[in-house]
Amino acid sequence: MEIIRKVLAENKKWAEKTVAEKPDFFTDLAKLQTPEILWIGCSDSRVPADKITGTQPGEIFVHRNIANLVIHTDVNLLSVLDYAVRQLHVKHIVVCGHYGCGGVGAALSNHNFDLVLNMWIRQIKDVYSLYKDELENITNPAQKTDRLVELNVIEQVKHLAKTSIVQRAWAHESLPHLHGWVYGLKDGIINPIFEMHPGDAIDPLYVYDDI
């Protein structure tokens, strides 16, 4: 229980320090949430969206899961996406992975993680399958993992563009812009690797013609 007491104590210190520096901070924050960015990141505790971007509470709307996946049957992700796009009218959606991702590393193994985790990392294995020729030419294990991290981010951005939520917003608001980023744990730098913008072409099979 010591870690819980420590976290609560640090929260109290932070709140007191914040009020001392900006007396109206929490009053103003409670009134309005107008983030321009939806962040879809990895659950890894080393990749907190606000810390690595230097943003303040209220500036980024955040969803996190293992290996920053966008799965078309994930109601949790889709509810966040729908709210961010249709209610908050975010201008940008960022899918941010990170080099050295444990979820991606697990997908490269043949280990049985049982039940839910097997189903989850199956999505990453499917990305590997798409780029199998490229990935199997990489002999260094760390480099292979990091390249799959990048390719996974690219595919998740493409998955966003395939949703009716994003396509409707593209058609009626010319927003949001989609970004694929990878964060470096070793240097703290974000590497932008992929973008999609309203009107960009996607596979016609996934295009809705009545939105």
Side-chain angles (χ1 to χ4, degrees):
M1 295 296 290
E2 182 60 31
I3 184 62
I4 298 299
R5 286 191 288 269
K6 180 179 183 296
V7 168
L8 291 173
E10 290 300 322
N11 164 255
K12 187 175 181 180
K13 289 180 184 177
W14 171 77
E16 291 172 347
K17 181 175 182 290
T18 300
V19 170
E21 295 174 351
K22 298 180 181 179
D24 296 327
F25 180 84
F26 292 109
T27 302
D28 293 341
L29 189 65
K31 292 177 182 176
L32 191 63
Q33 177 180 221
T34 56
E36 296 189 9
I37 298 172
L38 167 60
W39 176 281
I40 300 173
C42 183
S43 296
D44 193 304
S45 60
R46 299 169 294 177
V47 195
D50 57 339
K51 293 288 187 182
I52 69 174
T53 58
T55 52
Q56 297 298 314
E59 291 188 280
I60 297 182
F61 196 58
V62 177
H63 174 82
R64 297 169 71 177
N65 61 49
I66 294 173
N68 42 269
L69 298 184
V70 177
I71 301 173
H72 74 281
T73 54
D74 181 356
V75 177
N76 189 355
L77 177 280
L78 292 176
S79 65
V80 171
L81 177 64
D82 189 53
Y83 184 77
V85 171
R86 297 212 296 164
Q87 303 299 321
L88 297 177
H89 301 284
V90 294
K91 297 178 180 178
H92 304 273
I93 302 176
V94 172
V95 176
C96 187
H98 64 95
Y99 294 116
C101 179
V104 171
L108 281 168
S109 79
N110 293 106
H111 184 70
N112 170 29
F113 293 96
D114 286 327
L115 301 176
V116 176
L117 280 178
N118 283 341
M119 291 187 291
W120 193 260
I121 65 174
R122 163 67 185 274
Q123 315 296 324
I124 311 168
K125 289 179 180 287
D126 289 343
V127 174
Y128 183 97
S129 182
L130 286 174
Y131 297 93
K132 188 174 182 179
D133 291 343
E134 175 187 347
L135 290 165
E136 294 198 343
N137 282 323
I138 302 174
T139 56
N140 181 287
Q143 291 177 359
K144 179 179 288 189
T145 300
D146 286 348
R147 181 54 180 155
L148 183 53
V149 165
E150 294 175 345
L151 295 171
N152 181 55
V153 164
I154 291 170
E155 288 305 307
Q156 304 318 308
V157 172
K158 291 179 180 179
H159 290 174
L160 284 171
K162 293 173 183 175
T163 66
S164 60
I165 298 167
V166 168
Q167 289 185 32
R168 184 183 298 111
W170 279 7
H172 297 285
E173 300 181 43
S174 295
L175 290 171
H177 300 275
L178 311 180
H179 308 266
W181 295 352
V182 181
Y183 172 72
L185 292 174
K186 294 180 180 179
D187 59 13
I189 302 299
I190 292 172
N191 179 21
I193 60 168
F194 188 66
E195 291 186 353
M196 292 188 74
H197 303 285
D200 281 358
I202 64 173
D203 187 330
L205 181 64
Y206 299 97
V207 175
Y208 295 90
D209 60 6
D210 56 354
I211 56 174

